[in-house]
Amino acid sequence: MNKAESLERLLEAAGNISQEELARALDESPQTITNWKKRGVSKAGAIKASAAFGISTNWILNGKEQPDSLNASKVIEWDSSTNVDDDEIEVPFYKDFLVSCGVGTLPQIVGQPARKLRLGKATLRSYGVSPENAYALTAHGDSMKSVINNGATVYVDLGQTNIVDGKIYAINHGGLFKFKYLYKMPMGGVRIVSENKEEYPEEVLTAQEMIDQEFCVVAYAFNVQNPLP
C-alpha cells in the first residue's frame, strides 16, 4: 500500500479536514504535513493524531482498522480464574462508578475496583494510551444516547485531559461526573455538548465560571462497549 495514502486516510477520518487544519490541530508545521503527503505519516505523527482525533494508529498507517474512536474493541471481562496473556493488561473496572450521561451523579467508589477487564496492549497503543492511565467506568442516562448508551462500559485515559474540540471526555462539574463533548472557547472557556441536544441543552462556561463551578476534565473517552439491546 502506498505510504502517501496514510495522509489521505487521516484527513478523511478526521472529518475531511484540510492539510492546514490538520497542521493547526496537531501543532505541526505545514512543511511537516507536506512531508507526510510525500512520504506517508510518520509513526510519531500517527500516535499524535490518534490521541487528537481518536483514530487508530493502525488505520492511519496501513488502513487495517476502522477509524471510529468509540467502536467497541475486542474486550473480555477478566477475573481471578482467567489468565492474562502477555499482550494484554488488566484494566480496573469501577462498575459502581456511574458517570452520568444526563444530569449527573456523585461518584460511588468504595475501596478497590470490584472487577477488571482485559484489554490488548495493541489496542491501547493504537489510541496512544499508557496502560497505567486506562480505566473502565459505567455510564448511565441518555444525554449521549446512540454514542454512549445507558449502562455502557466506557474506557477512559486519565493521561489525556487537554481538550480536543468535538471529542468526548469524562468531566467533573461541581462534583457531578458526566460524559460530554467538549469544545474550547476563547479566553479559556469551555462549551459542553450532549448528543441529545434537545433534551440536554449545551452549556458554555467562562474560565472564571469553570473555577467557580469546580469544572475539570477527568479523562478522555477513547472506547465504549454499549450493552446489547
Side-chain angles (χ1 to χ4, degrees):
M1 185 175 291
N2 188 341
K3 288 185 177 181
E5 294 177 359
S6 60
L7 178 60
E8 296 177 12
R9 283 192 297 274
L10 171 53
L11 294 172
E12 180 180 359
N16 291 313
I17 63 176
S18 66
Q19 291 183 207
E20 292 75 15
E21 291 171 327
L22 178 64
R24 288 195 297 271
L26 299 182
D27 195 23
E28 295 283 2
S29 68
Q31 184 58 52
T32 295
I33 308 303
T34 299
N35 292 341
W36 288 355
K37 186 174 183 179
K38 297 176 181 177
R39 306 166 194 164
V41 178
S42 67
K43 186 174 181 180
I47 292 173
K48 191 173 184 180
S50 172
F53 299 108
I55 305 166
S56 164
T57 54
N58 285 335
W59 171 261
I60 297 171
L61 295 173
N62 55 48
K64 290 185 178 179
E65 294 183 20
Q66 290 301 313
D68 190 336
S69 62
L70 288 178
N71 270 349
S73 297
K74 295 180 179 178
V75 292
I76 305 171
E77 187 172 326
W78 178 90
D79 57 37
S80 58
S81 64
T82 305
N83 292 324
V84 180
D85 295 337
D86 291 340
D87 62 348
E88 297 174 324
I89 69 160
E90 303 164 12
V91 177
F93 180 30
Y94 290 96
K95 175 74 174 176
D96 296 326
F97 185 100
L98 299 178
V99 179
S100 174
C101 288
V103 296
T105 181
L106 292 174
Q108 299 294 324
I109 297 182
V110 180
Q112 297 297 314
R115 288 187 284 169
K116 294 185 179 181
L117 303 178
R118 53 186 179 141
L119 199 60
K121 293 179 181 177
T123 298
L124 292 178
R125 285 195 299 269
S126 72
Y127 291 111
V129 180
S130 297
E132 66 273 14
N133 290 330
Y135 286 79
L137 307 175
T138 301
H140 76 95
D142 60 1
S143 77
M144 298 295 288
K145 188 176 181 180
S146 79
V147 177
I148 300 177
N149 294 332
N150 185 44
T153 298
V154 184
Y155 297 86
V156 301
D157 178 9
L158 272 65
Q160 297 188 49
T161 57
N162 291 328
I163 297 173
V164 175
D165 287 350
K167 297 303 177 183
I168 298 175
Y169 295 85
I171 64 172
N172 181 350
H173 189 182
L176 305 180
F177 288 74
K178 314 172 187 180
F179 283 116
K180 298 291 181 181
Y181 293 110
L182 297 182
Y183 298 84
K184 290 179 288 189
M185 297 295 290
M187 307 299 292
V190 66
R191 179 171 159 234
I192 308 167
V193 180
S194 300
E195 181 72 17
N196 184 355
K197 299 181 182 67
E198 293 184 2
E199 200 168 339
Y200 299 89
E202 69 177 59
E203 301 174 78
V204 177
L205 303 180
T206 65
Q208 186 59 49
E209 287 172 335
M210 291 168 66
I211 296 172
D212 295 341
Q213 299 180 29
E214 298 180 343
F215 173 93
C216 70
V217 179
V218 176
Y220 167 60
F222 66 90
N223 196 280
V224 65
Q225 187 175 30
N226 280 311
L228 295 175

